[in-house]
Amino acid sequence: MNIKALEYCVDIARMKSFTKAAEKNFISQQALSQQIKALEKELGFQIFERTSRSVNVSVSGDLFIKEAEKALKHLSTGIHSA
């Protein structure tokens, strides 16, 4: 698991779009999707429920996203404190 993957997850959840999150992070939508699929495989659960028209956060994904947001905030605080 890497920090960028956490950031991608948070962005997707906030924007409700893989495409918009990819644009924000200056990567292709395909690369972003591959990162998320690899993370979901590593975690053993689906973070997002995807359809051809929408993306929603799964129940497990919601818990994960909340903790990822906290972790990213703590990391940012630690960097600024240093």
Side-chain angles (χ1 to χ4, degrees), residues 7 11-12 15 18 20 25 30 35 37 46 48-51 58 64 70 74 76 79:
E7 292 173 347
D11 287 341
I12 294 165
M15 298 176 167
F18 276 73
K20 289 177 183 176
N25 289 282
Q30 183 179 10
Q35 288 268 338
K37 284 181 186 177
Q46 214 176 350
F48 299 102
E49 297 170 348
R50 305 157 180 85
T51 67
S58 70
F64 178 77
K70 290 178 192 176
H74 286 295
S76 178
I79 291 169

Side-chain angles (χ1 to χ4, degrees), residues 6-46:
L6 296 179
E7 292 173 347
Y8 296 157
C9 285
V10 170
D11 287 341
I12 294 165
R14 287 180 181 163
M15 298 176 167
K16 298 199 179 292
S17 170
F18 276 73
T19 303
K20 289 177 183 176
E23 289 171 0
K24 178 184 182 262
N25 289 282
F26 303 103
I27 63 171
S28 71
Q29 187 272 329
Q30 183 179 10
L32 179 70
S33 292
Q34 289 173 347
Q35 288 268 338
I36 299 305
K37 284 181 186 177
L39 179 59
E40 289 175 328
K41 184 176 180 180
E42 180 181 343
L43 295 171
F45 61 85
Q46 214 176 350

